[in-house]
Amino acid sequence: MRKPIIAGNWKMNNDVNETEALMNTLLPLVADAKAEVVFCPTYLGLQKAVEMAKNSNVGIGAQNMHFEKSGAFTGEISGEMLVAVGVTYVIIGHSERRQLFNETDEAVNKKAIKALSLGLIPIVCCGETLEERESGQAEAKVVRQMELGLKNIDDITKVVVAYEPIWAIGTGKTASKEEADEACGWVRATIAKLYGEDAAQKVRIQYGGSVNPGNVKELMAMKNIDGALVGGAAIKASFAEIVKF
Ligand code: 13P
């Protein structure tokens, strides 16, 4: 039985004071959630968020990390630095990082391996563009991202995958529950091919892309969908309705 996991990706929103205010709003509202709950504020909000989430049911995640420990990587943050402030999850290979910051499948793989070695739970993202979907390339894209991004992983069952079709992100256009489930099935089949069916059955796969309080329930009812990675709807009080789908 896979425990549902609902994560909020706050993206580049909420400065440290706004992070504190949103944590104050959300922590009590999500306290009785049955799902695993994760908030991912900006790097600058992490320390505050970790302090505030202590003794709560909420885990704190970063939105990215570098795979090296330290050194001449101007502007980057290492996994070790995340661990030092008490972060326990990290989003890796979000489509915005891939598209806007040229992140490759190889970098995603290095980051996932490094995160696991530090005890961080990586939320590894994949998903196709509208053009790829319309030209029948969606499955090939997702399979390739997973084959390259998830190779050489010691314990795949600790990894969380987020399938986020790029055309559904921030557009209000959610994938249908059947489309989302089918694509999460492609992810699971790829993991089964790499690590065996038993391990694949233990991996939690989230859907992301315009998830809101009105559509979360039907998505979560699908057999391959074990959670949600939520953007815009994660920085409002109504995120509590999503985690309590
Ligand atoms: P939206 O929920 O705003 O569509 O964003 C999804 C996302 O990118 C989460 O990582």
Side-chain angles (χ1 to χ4, degrees), residues 143-159:
V143 167
R144 188 176 70 247
Q145 285 181 323
M146 293 289 91
E147 281 176 348
L148 297 174
L150 296 182
K151 64 182 188 191
N152 302 327
I153 300 279
D154 274 346
D155 186 356
I156 193 71
T157 65
K158 295 213 171 78
V159 173

Side-chain angles (χ1 to χ4, degrees), residues 9 11 94 96 164 168-171 208-211 229-233:
N9 174 8
K11 308 195 179 185
H94 190 278
E96 287 149 19
E164 299 202 306
I169 294 177
T171 58
S210 299
V211 174
L229 183 56
V230 184

Side-chain angles (χ1 to χ4, degrees), residues 43 46 62 64-70 76-90 92 110-111 114-120:
Y43 285 134
L46 287 173
N64 181 31
M65 58 168 254
H66 199 280
F67 49 80
E68 294 289 350
K69 179 178 182 180
S70 61
E76 292 291 312
I77 298 286
S78 71
E80 283 84 349
M81 292 169 184
L82 298 178
V83 170
V85 293
V87 165
T88 47
Y89 299 80
V90 58
I92 290 178
K110 283 186 185 171
K111 291 178 181 193
K114 182 62 186 275
L116 285 166
S117 78
L118 295 169
L120 290 165

Side-chain angles (χ1 to χ4, degrees), residues 1 23 30 77 97 99-100 102 109 111 123 138-139 143 171 177 180 189-190 201 242:
M1 190 61 191
M23 295 284 298
V30 305
I77 298 286
R97 298 232 42 99
Q99 291 196 307
L100 305 173
N102 303 318
N109 185 238
K111 291 178 181 193
I123 300 176
E139 180 174 5
V143 167
T171 58
K177 58 186 193 301
T190 308
Q201 285 303 325
I242 298 179

